[in-house]
């Protein structure tokens, strides 16, 4: 081959490689393709956490990694997808969902700090995103909540098992040790109410009729000693207009096997929208599950609504979740109630009628307390109809019996008027036995039913008794 041609091809190849590399760098710098994750995660010491790192299609075959530090170039690598570990830190890549998840176990306070989700591109040029992991010994909560003036908000504060019996409180201040207590679990008030659920290891603070002056730093704290009560901080921002992130309802209920939907409304944030579960992981629009449970997430960027639909609900789906957009979070509590089957009890009514005959009516009525959740109104209506029907049936039978009695009495009266010689005790169809009649004259014996003796008024007549024999 001509040396000039060889040199030309070599230059062209290098130029093509440089162009490809430059295109990659431009894409990275412009943010057209990126890696994204949650901004802040809080967890109790001794627990575990799973953090999702979402990436774009073009990085599907690239090596991903988890490192400690805010900057990718200087952070300390901990685990890679091409050499995953199963110890304290493990990583798993799911190319179909374009996410790799990092699970950290046996967390301690020393694990707190900034971490990075990274994707290797070439050389020292990588892409990634940062997350702050906060490991607390006692209590933790959400970080930044926006609320519109005049509305209310409920903030959950989670704590460890060993503090179940301790008094918890809510205080305001920039620093933990100098915050002014507002509300305690042992002395709740009306405007700010505090409620504890030891089974879920959470106490919730509800603030009503918020004003702009309520904006500021607040703390969830557990009472141990005055000087060292541990706690976690949340910033509450009350705005005149629409908040950066909000939901229509913070309390959502559902039934086993059914679905629930949550509408998370956001402002001008272009950050990654996430749906997360306390003590669990997070899901984005591209996800189809959250901690193995089916979930459908859609981001309507025109109306700025991030909708979450949780499907095939189970009882263990009950708990606290939150919508996240950048640093902003809004907590949502979902309660899944148990499905109850409708059982029936049988009420049988037997009404005796003359002639030893009987008419029985069997009505199936819902057993008390067995109505299906969510259909109490319909079940009550059905019960009312059944009871009215049963009452009407019983009333009809009573009317029939009274009518029969009146009719029978009328028939007897007519019979007596047509046969005045018959005693009142006689009944149609009764067997009558007559004895012989003995005359003092010529001896004549016969049955009254077949012979009429010629008896003169002067004759002496002897009559025997007449006995009526009723059929059994």
């Amino acid at each position: 081959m001509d040396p000039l041609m060889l040199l030309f091809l070599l230059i062209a190849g290098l130029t093509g490689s440089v162009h490809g590399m430059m295109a990659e760098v431009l894409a990275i710098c412009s943010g057209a393709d990126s890696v994204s994750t949650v901004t802040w995660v809080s967890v109790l010491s001794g627990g575990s956490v799973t953090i999702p790192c979402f990436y774009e299609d073009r990085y599907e075959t690239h090596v991903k990694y988890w490192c400690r530090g805010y900057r990718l170039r200087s952070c300390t690598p901990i685990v890679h997808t091409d050499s995953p570990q199963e110890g304290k830190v493990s990583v798993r890549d799911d190319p179909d969902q374009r996410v790799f998840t990092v699970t950290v176990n046996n967390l301690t306070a020393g694990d707190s700090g900034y971490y990075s989700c990274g994707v290797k591109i070439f050389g020292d040029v990588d892409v990634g995103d940062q997350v702050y992991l906060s490991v607390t010994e006692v209590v933790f909560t959400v970080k930044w909540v926006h609320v519109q003036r005049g509305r209310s908000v409920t903030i959950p504060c989670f704590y460890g098992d060993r503090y179940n019996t301790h008094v918890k409180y809510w205080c305001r201040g920039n620093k933990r040790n100098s915050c002014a207590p507002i509300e305690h679990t042992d002395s709740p008030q009306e405007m700010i109410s505090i409620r504890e659920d030891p089974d879920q290891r959470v106490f919730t603070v509800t603030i009503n009729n918020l004003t702009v002056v309520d904006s500021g730093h607040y703390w969830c704290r557990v009472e141990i000693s005055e000087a060292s009560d541990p706690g976690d901080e949340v910033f509450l921002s009350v705005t005149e207009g629409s908040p950066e992130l909000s939901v229509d309802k913070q309390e959502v209920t559902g039934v086993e096997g059914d679905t629930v939907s949550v509408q998370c409304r956001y402002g001008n944030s272009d950050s990654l929208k996430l749906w997360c579960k306390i003590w669990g992981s997070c899901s984005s629009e591209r996800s189809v599950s959250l901690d193995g449970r089916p979930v459908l997430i859609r981001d309507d960027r025109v109306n700025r609504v991030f909708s979450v639909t949780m499907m095939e609900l189970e009882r263990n789906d009950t708990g606290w979740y939150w919508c996240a957009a950048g640093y902003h979070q809004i907590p949502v509590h979902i309660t899944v109630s148990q499905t109850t089957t409708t059982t029936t009890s049988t009420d049988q009514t037997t009404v005796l009628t003359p002639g030893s005959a009987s008419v029985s009516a069997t009505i199936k009525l819902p057993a008390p307390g067995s109505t299906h959740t969510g259909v109490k109104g319909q079940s009550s209506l059905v019960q009312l109809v059944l009871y009215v029907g049963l009452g009407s049936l019983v009333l009809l039978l009573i009317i029939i019996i009274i009518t029969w009695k009146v009719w029978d009495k009328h028939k007897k009266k007519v019979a007596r008027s047509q046969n005045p010689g018959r005693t009142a005790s006689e009944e149609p169809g009764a067997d009558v036995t007559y004895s012989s009649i003995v005359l003092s004259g010529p001896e004549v014996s016969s049955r009254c039913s077949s012979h009429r003796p010629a008896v003169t008024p002067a004759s002496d007549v002897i009559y025997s008794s007449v006995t009526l024999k009723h059929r059994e």
Side-chain angles (χ1 to χ4, degrees):
M1 180 180 292
D2 188 89
L4 292 175
M5 179 63 69
L6 181 60
L7 179 61
F8 176 80
L9 291 176
L10 181 60
I11 294 173
L14 289 174
T15 304
S17 299
V18 171
H19 284 168
M21 290 165 50
M22 287 299 296
E24 191 84 37
V25 171
L26 287 174
I28 294 170
C29 294
S30 65
D33 297 299
S34 63
V35 175
S36 54
T37 185
V38 292
T39 304
W40 185 293
V41 176
S42 295
V43 66
L44 289 175
S45 177
S48 62
V49 66
T50 298
I51 298 175
C53 303
F54 304 93
Y55 55 86
E56 299 297 331
D57 291 341
R58 65 186 302 160
Y59 303 131
E60 186 175 319
T61 59
H62 289 238
V63 173
K64 291 87 181 177
Y65 60 92
W66 172 256
C67 65
R68 181 163 189 172
Y70 188 80
R71 298 183 182 279
L72 290 175
R73 289 186 178 182
S74 59
C75 71
T76 305
I78 299 174
V79 64
H80 296 75
T81 54
D82 58 351
S83 58
Q85 302 177 12
E86 293 298 332
K88 181 182 174 81
V89 183
S90 61
V91 61
R92 185 178 66 87
D93 189 13
D94 185 351
D96 294 333
Q97 300 298 321
R98 303 191 301 280
V99 59
F100 69 96
T101 55
V102 178
T103 301
V104 187
N105 301 303
N106 301 319
L107 287 160
T108 64
D111 292 318
S112 296
Y114 277 102
Y115 291 82
S116 295
C117 301
V119 175
K120 284 190 172 295
I121 305 301
F122 54 82
D124 293 333
V125 181
D126 295 344
V127 291
D129 197 15
Q130 293 72 38
V131 52
Y132 187 84
L133 176 61
S134 174
V135 183
T136 62
E137 294 288 344
V138 181
V139 61
F140 74 89
T141 185
V142 291
K143 292 294 112 187
W144 195 348
V145 177
H146 273 247
V147 187
Q148 190 172 15
R149 183 178 63 84
R151 302 195 65 177
S152 62
V153 67
T154 298
I155 296 176
C157 304
F158 304 91
Y159 56 86
D161 289 336
R162 56 181 175 172
Y163 300 104
N164 272 7
T165 59
H166 288 244
V167 172
K168 290 84 181 177
Y169 62 96
W170 174 256
C171 66
R172 181 174 184 173
N174 292 332
K175 295 182 179 180
R176 183 182 66 185
N177 294 332
S178 60
C179 71
I182 300 174
E183 188 71 23
H184 292 73
T185 53
D186 57 352
S187 59
Q189 301 177 8
E190 291 185 3
M191 184 175 176
I192 300 177
S193 62
I194 186 168
R195 184 175 63 87
E196 185 175 9
D197 184 353
D199 294 334
Q200 298 295 323
R201 291 176 294 161
V202 60
F203 68 96
T204 56
V205 179
T206 301
I207 310 173
N208 300 305
N209 195 24
L210 286 160
T211 64
V212 176
V213 296
D214 292 319
S215 297
H217 295 268
Y218 293 85
W219 293 80
C220 301
R221 299 185 69 179
V222 175
E223 195 172 273
I224 296 178
S225 65
E226 292 184 3
S228 59
D229 288 348
D232 198 18
E233 182 185 16
V234 54
F235 183 79
L236 175 61
S237 176
V238 182
T239 61
E240 291 285 352
S242 298
E244 286 298 318
L245 185 65
S246 64
V247 291
D248 296 333
K249 294 187 298 183
Q250 281 191 271
E251 290 283 345
V252 181
T253 59
V255 181
E256 276 185 312
D258 209 342
T259 63
V260 294
S261 294
V262 177
Q263 308 297 318
C264 307
R265 305 181 185 278
Y266 58 90
N268 298 320
S269 175
D270 292 327
S271 303
L272 177 68
K273 314 302 185 302
L274 295 173
W275 174 250
C276 306
K277 184 175 184 179
I278 299 291
W279 316 107
S281 185
C282 298
S283 294
S284 71
E285 183 181 9
R286 67 188 68 166
S287 305
V288 296
S289 65
L290 174 64
D291 291 344
R293 306 290 301 123
V295 63
L296 178 64
I297 300 174
R298 291 291 180 265
D299 186 8
D300 182 355
R301 292 174 176 82
V302 176
N303 296 308
R304 297 188 178 276
V305 176
F306 176 59
S307 61
V308 179
T309 302
M310 296 181 61
M311 301 171 288
E312 302 174 15
L313 290 171
E314 296 179 354
R315 292 295 300 281
N316 57 13
D317 290 325
T318 295
W320 280 96
Y321 299 77
W322 77 84
C323 301
Y327 284 96
H328 306 293
Q329 300 168 327
I330 185 70
V332 178
H333 187 265
I334 293 179
T335 303
V336 181
S337 58
Q338 186 175 8
T339 303
T340 56
T341 57
T342 303
T343 59
T344 59
S345 61
T346 303
D347 287 358
Q348 179 166 320
T349 303
T350 303
V351 181
L352 296 177
T353 60
S356 299
S358 66
V359 177
S360 63
T362 302
I363 306 293
K364 287 187 176 181
L365 301 175
S370 64
T371 58
H372 190 286
T373 303
V375 293
K376 288 186 178 180
Q378 182 180 355
S379 178
S380 299
L381 181 60
V382 172
Q383 289 187 14
L384 178 61
V385 172
L386 290 175
Y387 282 122
V388 171
L390 176 61
S392 300
L393 179 60
V394 172
L395 180 61
L396 179 62
L397 291 175
I398 292 174
I399 293 173
I400 292 173
I401 293 172
I402 294 174
T403 304
W404 187 90
K405 287 287 187 182
V406 173
W407 175 249
D408 182 63
K409 187 175 181 180
H410 174 72
K411 285 174 60 180
K412 288 180 180 181
K413 185 176 181 180
V414 172
R416 282 197 303 270
S417 65
Q418 292 178 352
N419 300 281
R422 181 176 296 183
T423 61
S425 63
E426 295 180 25
E427 294 182 3
D431 293 334
V432 183
T433 303
Y434 299 89
S435 63
S436 299
I437 301 174
V438 181
L439 305 177
S440 60
E443 296 182 359
V444 181
S445 178
S446 66
R447 284 296 200 188
C448 293
S449 60
S450 60
H451 178 72
R452 294 180 180 178
V455 181
T456 61
S459 301
D460 294 331
V461 181
I462 301 174
Y463 294 88
S464 63
S465 61
V466 179
T467 305
L468 298 179
K469 182 186 293 184
H470 294 276
R471 291 189 182 94
E472 295 295 330

